[in-house]
C-alpha cells in the first residue's frame, strides 16, 4: 500500500512536470501522460489481475468530475441561446454519429452488427475538457454565437453516448429486450434529469443559508454534491453523468459565497482527472495490440471526422437542416470541433470489463482514435477556425464561462483631501482625472454625496473613485518584510531603503495604522513593509 501511494504521488508529480514542458516540445500534454502510463509495466503497480477493474472505477470517478465541471464552467446567460440547438446535437447528433460509424464498421470493415454499433456508441461523444481548454488557452472568440453552441454540446453529449454504450453492451451479451431497452432509455433520461435538478437546487438552498466556517469546508461540500449527483440517480437507474452535468450548471450559475474560486479549483481537479484517465489508458495499452489496431482506427477516425460527424451536424444545423440560422462555415467548424477524449476512453474500459468481451479489440482502436484526434484535430482547430473566417477578434470567449464577471474589472479606491491637496477647492470637472477614472462618491461629514461636474471638493472630503482593476497574473506576488526595532534604517526615507529589483513597497503597517508610502516617507523601527514583486517565470 505504501509503495502504491508513493508511486501514485510520483506519477502525479511527473505528469504535472510533463504538462509544464509539453508546450516547449510541441506535443500535447495528454499524450505525454499516456506515454508515461505505457512505459510503466502493469506488474509493478501492485494491482495484479484487478488492474482493469481498478482503472474502470477510477476513470468513472474522474469522468464524474469532468462532467460536473462541464456544467459548472458554463455560463448560462450566454449558453441558453444555444441550448435547443445543442440538445439536438447532444442527443440526435450523437445517435446519428454512432449509427453511421456502426454502418461503416459493418459494411466496410466486415464486423458483426453488435460490435459495429458498440464501436459507434463508444466513440460518438465529444470531449468537453479538451474543447474548453482549447477555447480558453487560444482565446478563440467565434462568430455567430458558435462558442456557446460548441461548449454546451461537448459538455452534454456524454450521457447519450454512455446510454448507447450500455444498451449495446446488453445486446452483445444477449440480455437486451425491447421492453428493457425502452425502460432503460426512459429511466436514464428522466431519473437522471430529475435527480440533477433536485440535487442542484437543494445544494443551492443549503449554500445560501448555511455559512461554512472556512473555504475548505465549502470545497468538501461541493465535492460531496458532485459525487452524490452521480451516485443517487445511478442507484435508481438514472444517468449519473447527465445528473452531474445538470448539477454543475445549477451550482455554477447561482450566486453563493466563494463561488468564483470554485471555478479555479474544479479547473485544476478536471485537469488532474484527465491526467489520471490518460495515464490509466497508457497503463492498459499494449504496443503489440496497438499495431494491429492502427489501420481500423485510422479508417474509423477519418470516416468519423469527414463523413459521420459532418452528416450528423449538417442534418441538424446545416442550411437544409432543422436550424437554418447557421451558415455553412459555422456548421463546418462545429463539425470539426468534435474531439474524442476522456469519455470515449472510460466507455471503452467499460466494454473490456463487461460481462461479454467483444471479438474486436475496441479498447485499442479507441486508444488510437483518441491519440489521433488530440494530436491532429486539436492542434488544427485554431487554423480551421481562421480559414473558415469564424474568428471574431472583438468577441471575448471568456464571457461564455461562468467565472466571467462583467463587474470584475471595476475597483473602488479612496483618498482623503487635505488643505495642501491639489484638488482642494476645485470642481469635479476641473480635477483632470486620469483616463479610465471616475469620481463615484464624496463622503463629507459622514454624509454620502453623489457628485456632478459642478460639485466643489473641500478639505476633509473622502473621495471614492472607480477604475478598471488590474487582473494580476501569477507572476505578481505579495509578501511582508518586517523591519527590526533596532534597525539602522530608522529615520531614513523609504527611497533610501534597499530593495530587490522589480519590487515596490505598496504599504507600511505601523501598529494599527496602514500607510500608503511615498519616496520621502520616514521609516521607523518595527514597521512592516508590504512589498509586491514580480516573480521570475522560468517556463
Amino acid at each position: 500500500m505504501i509503495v502504491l501511494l508513493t508511486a501514485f504521488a510520483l506519477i502525479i508529480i511527473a505528469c504535472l512536470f510533463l504538462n509544464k514542458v509539453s508546450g516547449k516540445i510541441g506535443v500535447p500534454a495528454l499524450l505525454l501522460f499516456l506515454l508515461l502510463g505505457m512505459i510503466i509495466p502493469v506488474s509493478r503497480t501492485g494491482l495484479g489481475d484487478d488492474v482493469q477493474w481498478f482503472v474502470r472505477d477510477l476513470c468513472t470517478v474522474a469522468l464524474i468530475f469532468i462532467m460536473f465541471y462541464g456544467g459548472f464552467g458554463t455560463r448560462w446567460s450566454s449558453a441558453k441561446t444555444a441550448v435547443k440547438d445543442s440538445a439536438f446535437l447532444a442527443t440526435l447528433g450523437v445517435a446519428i454519429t454512432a449509427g453511421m460509424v456502426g454502418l461503416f464498421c459493418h459494411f466496410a470493415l466486415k464486423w458483426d452488427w453488435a460490435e459495429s454499433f458498440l464501436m459507434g456508441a463508444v466513440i460518438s461523444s465529444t470531449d468537453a475538457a479538451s474543447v474548453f481548454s482549447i477555447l480558453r488557452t487560444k482565446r478563440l472568440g467565434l462568430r455567430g454565437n458558435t462558442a456557446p453552441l460548441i461548449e454546451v454540446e461537448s459538455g452534454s453529449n456524454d450521457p447519450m453516448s454512455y446510454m448507447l454504450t450500455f444498451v449495446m453492451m446488453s445486446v452483445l451479451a444477449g440480455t437486451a429486450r425491447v421492453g428493457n431497452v425502452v425502460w432503460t432509455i426512459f429511466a436514464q433520461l428522466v431519473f437522471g434529469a430529475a435527480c440533477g435538478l433536485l440535487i442542484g437546487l437543494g445544494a443551492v438552498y443549503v449554500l445560501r443559508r448555511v455559512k461554512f466556517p472556512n473555504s475548505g469546508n465549502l470545497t468538501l461540500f461541493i465535492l460531496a454534491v458532485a459525487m452524490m449527483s452521480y451516485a443517487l440517480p445511478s442507484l435508481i437507474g438514472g444517468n449519473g453523468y447527465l445528473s452531474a452535468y445538470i448539477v454543475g450548471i445549477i451550482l455554477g450559475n447561482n450566486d453563493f459565497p466563494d463561488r468564483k474560486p470554485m471555478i479555479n479549483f474544479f479547473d485544476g481537479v478536471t485537469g488532474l482527472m484527465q491526467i489520471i484517465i490518460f495515464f490509466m489508458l497508457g497503463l492498459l495499452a499494449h504496443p503489440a495490440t496497438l499495431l494491429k489496431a492502427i489501420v481500423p482506427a485510422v479508417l474509423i477516425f477519418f470516416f468519423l471526422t469527414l463523413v459521420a460527424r459532418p452528416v450528423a451536424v449538417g442534418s441538424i444545423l446545416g442550411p437544409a437542416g432543422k436550424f437554418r440560422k447557421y451558415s455553412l462555415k459555422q456548421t463546418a467548424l462545429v463539425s470539426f470541433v468534435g474531439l474524442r477524449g476522456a469519455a470515449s476512453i472510460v466507455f471503452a474500459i467499460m466494454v473490456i470489463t463487461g460481462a461479454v468481451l467483444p471479438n474486436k479489440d475496441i479498447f485499442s482502436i479507441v486508444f488510437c482514435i483518441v491519440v489521433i484526434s488530440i494530436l491532429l484535430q486539436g492542434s488544427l482547430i485554431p487554423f480551421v477556425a481562421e480559414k473558415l473566417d469564424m474568428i471574431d477578434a472583438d468577441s471575448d470567449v471568456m464571457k461564455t464561462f461562468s467565472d466571467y464577471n462583467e463587474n470584475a474589472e471595476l475597483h473602488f479606491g479612496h483618498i482623503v483631501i487635505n488643505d495642501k491637496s491639489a484638488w482642494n477647492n476645485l470642481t469635479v470637472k476641473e480635477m483632470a482625472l486620469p483616463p479610465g477614472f471616475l469620481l463615484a462618491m464624496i463622503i463629507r461629514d459622514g454624509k454620502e454625496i453623489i457628485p456632478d461636474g459642478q460639485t466643489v471638493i473641500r478639505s476633509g472630503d473622502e473621495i471614492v473613485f472607480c477604475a478598471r482593476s488590474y487582473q494580476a497574473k501569477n507572476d505578481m506576488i505579495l509578501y511582508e518584510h518586517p523591519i527590526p526595532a533596532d534597525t539602522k534604517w530608522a529615520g531614513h526615507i523609504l527611497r533610501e531603503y534597499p530593495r530587490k529589483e522589480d519590487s515596490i513597497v505598496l504599504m507600511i503597517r505601523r501598529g494599527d495604522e496602514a500607510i500608503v508610502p511615498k519616496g520621502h516617507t520616514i521609516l521607523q523601527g518595527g514597521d512592516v513593509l508590504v512589498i509586491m514583486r514580480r516573480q521570475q517565470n522560468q517556463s
Side-chain angles (χ1 to χ4, degrees), residues 2 56 108 123 140 168 184 222 224 261 266 321-322 327 345 381 387 406 411 464 479 484 500 525 538:
I2 295 177
R56 180 197 63 186
I123 207 69
L140 284 181
M168 290 312 304
T184 296
I222 300 294
F266 278 103
K322 183 176 179 60
S327 67
I345 294 170
I381 286 176
K387 289 301 180 182
E406 291 89 343
H411 179 78
V464 179
Y479 65 95
K500 294 182 179 181
Q538 302 298 327

Side-chain angles (χ1 to χ4, degrees), residues 377-421:
Q377 261 181 296
S379 60
L380 288 177
I381 286 176
F383 173 79
V384 172
E386 182 178 0
K387 289 301 180 182
L388 290 173
D389 193 28
M390 284 298 298
I391 296 180
D392 184 359
D394 297 326
S395 174
D396 185 2
V397 72
M398 299 305 293
K399 290 183 178 181
T400 64
F401 296 101
S402 60
D403 56 342
Y404 178 83
N405 188 345
E406 291 89 343
N407 299 322
E409 295 185 349
L410 298 180
H411 179 78
F412 290 94
H414 70 98
I415 58 174
V416 177
I417 303 298
N418 55 38
D419 293 334
K420 297 181 179 180
S421 173

Side-chain angles (χ1 to χ4, degrees), residues 123-434:
I123 207 69
S124 58
S125 68
T126 59
D127 188 56
S130 297
V131 171
F132 282 22
S133 176
I134 291 172
L135 292 180
R136 293 181 75 124
T137 57
K138 302 297 183 181
R139 305 289 291 199
L140 284 181
L142 302 176
R143 300 182 188 277
N145 204 40
T146 307
L149 174 67
I150 292 172
E151 290 163 18
V152 177
E153 186 225 353
S154 63
S156 61
N157 59 15
D158 290 341
M160 184 66 177
S161 180
Y162 168 79
M163 187 168 61
L164 293 176
T165 300
F166 184 82
V167 169
M168 290 312 304
M169 288 176 64
S170 299
V171 172
L172 186 67
T175 59
R177 301 292 183 271
V178 175
N180 291 339
V181 170
V182 172
W183 170 253
T184 296
I185 295 174
F186 173 83
Q188 285 272 305
L189 295 176
V190 175
F191 294 166
C195 287
L197 288 172
L198 291 175
I199 294 172
L201 294 175
V204 170
Y205 180 87
V206 172
L207 288 169
R208 288 181 174 176
R209 287 162 177 80
V210 176
K211 183 175 178 59
F212 291 91
N214 53 61
S215 60
N217 287 17
L218 172 63
T219 301
L220 290 175
F221 176 76
I222 300 294
L223 284 172
V225 169
M227 290 185 286
M228 179 63 71
S229 67
Y230 174 84
L232 184 59
S234 298
L235 286 174
I236 59 176
N239 193 310
Y241 296 118
L242 175 61
S243 173
Y245 180 72
I246 292 174
V247 172
I249 286 182
I250 293 174
L251 290 183
N253 289 274
N254 275 278
D255 291 327
F256 56 85
D258 295 324
R259 179 189 66 84
K260 189 174 179 180
M262 290 292 102
I263 298 285
N264 295 327
F265 171 76
F266 278 103
D267 190 32
V269 169
T270 302
L272 177 60
M273 296 301 105
Q274 279 195 302
I275 288 174
I276 290 174
I277 288 177
F278 276 80
F279 173 77
M280 291 298 177
L281 176 61
L283 202 64
L284 293 180
H286 302 286
T289 58
L290 293 180
L291 289 174
K292 297 179 182 179
I294 286 178
V295 173
V298 169
L299 294 175
I300 293 173
F301 169 78
F302 280 107
F303 178 83
L304 172 66
T305 306
L306 302 179
V307 181
R309 170 79 176 171
V311 169
V313 174
S315 62
I316 296 173
L317 301 183
K322 183 176 179 60
F323 302 104
R324 293 180 174 83
K325 61 184 177 181
Y326 292 96
S327 67
L328 186 60
K329 290 182 177 180
Q330 281 180 288
T331 303
L333 182 61
V334 173
S335 173
F336 188 81
V337 185
L339 301 179
R340 311 297 139 171
S344 296
I345 294 170
V346 175
F347 301 154
I349 295 173
M350 285 172 48
V351 170
I352 64 174
T353 56
V356 177
L357 193 66
N359 294 322
K360 302 301 179 182
D361 190 0
I362 288 179
F363 173 80
S364 296
I365 294 173
V366 169
F367 179 104
C368 295
I369 291 174
V370 169
V371 170
I372 297 170
S373 180
I374 293 173
L375 194 59
L376 184 61
Q377 261 181 296
S379 60
L380 288 177
I381 286 176
F383 173 79
V384 172
E386 182 178 0
K387 289 301 180 182
L388 290 173
D389 193 28
M390 284 298 298
I391 296 180
D392 184 359
D394 297 326
S395 174
D396 185 2
V397 72
M398 299 305 293
K399 290 183 178 181
T400 64
F401 296 101
S402 60
D403 56 342
Y404 178 83
N405 188 345
E406 291 89 343
N407 299 322
E409 295 185 349
L410 298 180
H411 179 78
F412 290 94
H414 70 98
I415 58 174
V416 177
I417 303 298
N418 55 38
D419 293 334
K420 297 181 179 180
S421 173
W423 289 343
N424 188 27
N425 293 323
L426 294 183
T427 62
V428 171
K429 68 179 182 180
E430 295 173 334
M431 292 174 62
L433 290 170

